[in-house]
Amino acid sequence: MRSWAEIDLAALERNLDLIRRAVPPKMKYVSVVKADAYGHGILPTATRLMQSGVDLLAVANVKEAAEIREMGSGWPILVLGPLLEGEDSALLEYDLTATLSSPAEIPRFQEKAKCKGQKVKVHLKVDTGMGRLGIWWEDAQALIQEIEKVDEIELRGLLTHFADPSDLDFTSLQRERFKKIYDSIPASLKADLMVHADNSSSLLHLERDSIFNAIRIGLLQFGVSPKKESLFSDLPVEPVLSFHSKLAVVKELPAQTTISYGRQHQLTRKSKIGIVSAGYGDAIPLHCGNRAQALVRGQSYPIIGRVTMDQTVVDLTDAPDDLLSGEKVTLIGKQEDQEILLSKLADDANTIPWELLCSITKRVPRVYTTNRE
Ligand SMILES: Cc1ncc(COP(=O)(O)O)c(C=O)c1O
């Protein structure tokens, strides 16, 4: 293989276990697996997560949900994003739970439910300050009253999403707004409601005795901590994904030669360079050129010049003489006692771990391992 991503499903399971043990036992676990399980591959990942006992899988849209449904008929699936009108029938066809955000969705879902003689399950999303999806919190109570009147719609959950968990005051305000809505719900409706907001970034400030009875986790379960200062960075989650490639060419170039498009690096000495067989067409972000490192035989070497679609150049001048083409190169992950964290590569590329994971392209085979300890 030229370039590949190794996905350690056993590490995923251990992470899940660690996170569950760090939060109060009443907390249900909503596992966010949208965008192909953050690039880890939806089917093997969702299968392992369900086998490991998550309570609900959350995806972005109906297409992602249908893919999971083909694998497991009993697995509960929440569609986090809004459904387009033509997609409503998929809710019953694939036994999905919708995220309802607006009065307009009520008659749409009601009609589909009536046709099939079934109920549509929904979680109501409240916009408490994210300014994206959800009914604006001041209008949420009226919407709940509307839902209550409709037999064909079953309210199973209530959720909100935090805009900036690092801003404690604003997050508290969002929690307060949400609690007001929760308090307005009749006790009969509240009984089995899943109430959730906290994601990987807000877990640090999880309220232990509160109305929330579920967490909604994406990044952290994949072993990537969203923030260095997070409490959960103390949680020894393990990276689930590593990314590797091979040296296609090793060659010498004279001093003063410039490297790659735009000539953004110039060799200061006679140098040995390695051409890694991967670029931004695989997973290596364009903007990490001249900033990030690559590991070869457990040593770190700088990436020089601009990353290109299919190749990336590393400076191997200080590498041993017998280091030749064909050698394994690690861009994310461990070699011997050296490790490049995905969050470090994201920093070097001036992006965020979520985006980096989503940029690992189809060209990169995912290789699953299940028992690394
Ligand atoms: C609505 C919603 N909830 C939860 C998550 C999971 O967030 P994280 O990956 O930070 O845990 C996301 C991620 O984008 C999301 O959009």
Side-chain angles (χ1 to χ4, degrees), residues 246-313:
K246 285 193 177 149
L247 285 178
V249 176
V250 176
K251 67 177 192 181
E252 291 201 339
L253 287 176
Q256 311 308 325
T257 308
T258 56
I259 300 295
S260 188
Y261 291 124
R263 308 178 64 224
Q264 291 173 352
H265 181 85
Q266 185 166 36
L267 301 177
T268 54
R269 55 182 174 166
K270 181 178 173 209
S271 302
K272 182 163 72 173
I273 62 160
I275 315 294
V276 182
S277 207
Y280 60 78
D282 301 275
I284 307 180
L286 173 71
H287 295 291
C288 77
N290 284 334
R291 301 174 74 167
Q293 283 79 36
L295 301 177
V296 189
R297 278 196 209 164
Q299 292 298 315
S300 178
Y301 298 98
I303 292 175
I304 51 172
R306 193 188 279 180
V307 173
T308 68
M309 188 183 287
D310 311 310
Q311 278 93 30
T312 298
V313 183

Side-chain angles (χ1 to χ4, degrees), residues 32 34 38 80 125 132 161 199-201 216-220 354:
V32 182
K34 55 200 173 94
Y38 289 43
L80 288 168
K125 184 157 190 179
R132 195 180 62 174
H161 197 45
N199 62 3
S200 302
S201 309
R216 208 171 57 238
I217 305 295
L219 193 72
L220 194 63
W354 294 263

Side-chain angles (χ1 to χ4, degrees), residues 31-38 42 45 49 57-59 64 68 221:
S31 177
V32 182
V33 290
K34 55 200 173 94
D36 202 29
Y38 289 43
I42 186 67
T45 307
L49 285 163
L57 293 170
V59 293
E64 291 181 344
I68 298 179
Q221 68 195 350

Side-chain angles (χ1 to χ4, degrees), residues 142-176:
L143 185 59
I144 292 166
Q145 283 161 5
E146 286 307 303
I147 296 171
E148 250 190 294
K149 290 184 204 151
V150 178
D151 286 342
E152 294 82 5
I153 296 183
E154 197 181 331
L155 186 64
R156 291 276 188 97
L158 189 71
L159 69 145
T160 192
H161 197 45
F162 296 130
D164 182 5
S166 65
D167 183 334
L168 300 188
D169 290 341
F170 192 69
T171 305
S172 296
L173 176 68
Q174 286 194 262
R175 286 191 199 275
E176 271 166 40

Side-chain angles (χ1 to χ4, degrees), residues 205-227:
H205 303 290
L206 184 75
E207 289 188 347
R208 287 185 177 251
D209 291 310
S210 76
I211 57 167
F212 296 99
N213 60 17
I215 51 175
R216 208 171 57 238
I217 305 295
L219 193 72
L220 194 63
Q221 68 195 350
F222 296 113
V224 183
S225 202
K227 284 237 156 54

Side-chain angles (χ1 to χ4, degrees), residues 95-222:
D95 185 20
L96 310 176
T97 302
T99 298
L100 189 140
S101 285
S102 67
E105 288 160 300
I106 294 181
R108 277 170 42 190
F109 294 172
Q110 187 179 21
E111 188 207 316
K112 294 294 170 204
K114 270 191 176 149
C115 281
K116 288 256 181 182
Q118 292 175 21
K119 291 190 178 203
V120 166
K121 294 169 283 191
V122 300
H123 285 204
L124 175 66
K125 184 157 190 179
V126 184
D127 184 349
T128 54
M130 173 70 184
R132 195 180 62 174
L133 298 175
I135 182 87
W136 181 243
W137 69 281
E138 288 165 301
D139 303 322
Q141 202 177 337
L143 185 59
I144 292 166
Q145 283 161 5
E146 286 307 303
I147 296 171
E148 250 190 294
K149 290 184 204 151
V150 178
D151 286 342
E152 294 82 5
I153 296 183
E154 197 181 331
L155 186 64
R156 291 276 188 97
L158 189 71
L159 69 145
T160 192
H161 197 45
F162 296 130
D164 182 5
S166 65
D167 183 334
L168 300 188
D169 290 341
F170 192 69
T171 305
S172 296
L173 176 68
Q174 286 194 262
R175 286 191 199 275
E176 271 166 40
R177 289 172 170 176
F178 188 74
K179 278 180 195 155
K180 279 192 188 137
I181 303 310
Y182 176 81
D183 289 341
S184 74
I185 298 178
S188 58
L189 264 186
K190 264 183 198 161
D192 296 318
L193 221 50
M194 194 183 260
V195 186
H196 48 113
D198 289 285
N199 62 3
S200 302
S201 309
S202 65
L203 270 185
L204 170 59
H205 303 290
L206 184 75
E207 289 188 347
R208 287 185 177 251
D209 291 310
S210 76
I211 57 167
F212 296 99
N213 60 17
I215 51 175
R216 208 171 57 238
I217 305 295
L219 193 72
L220 194 63
Q221 68 195 350
F222 296 113

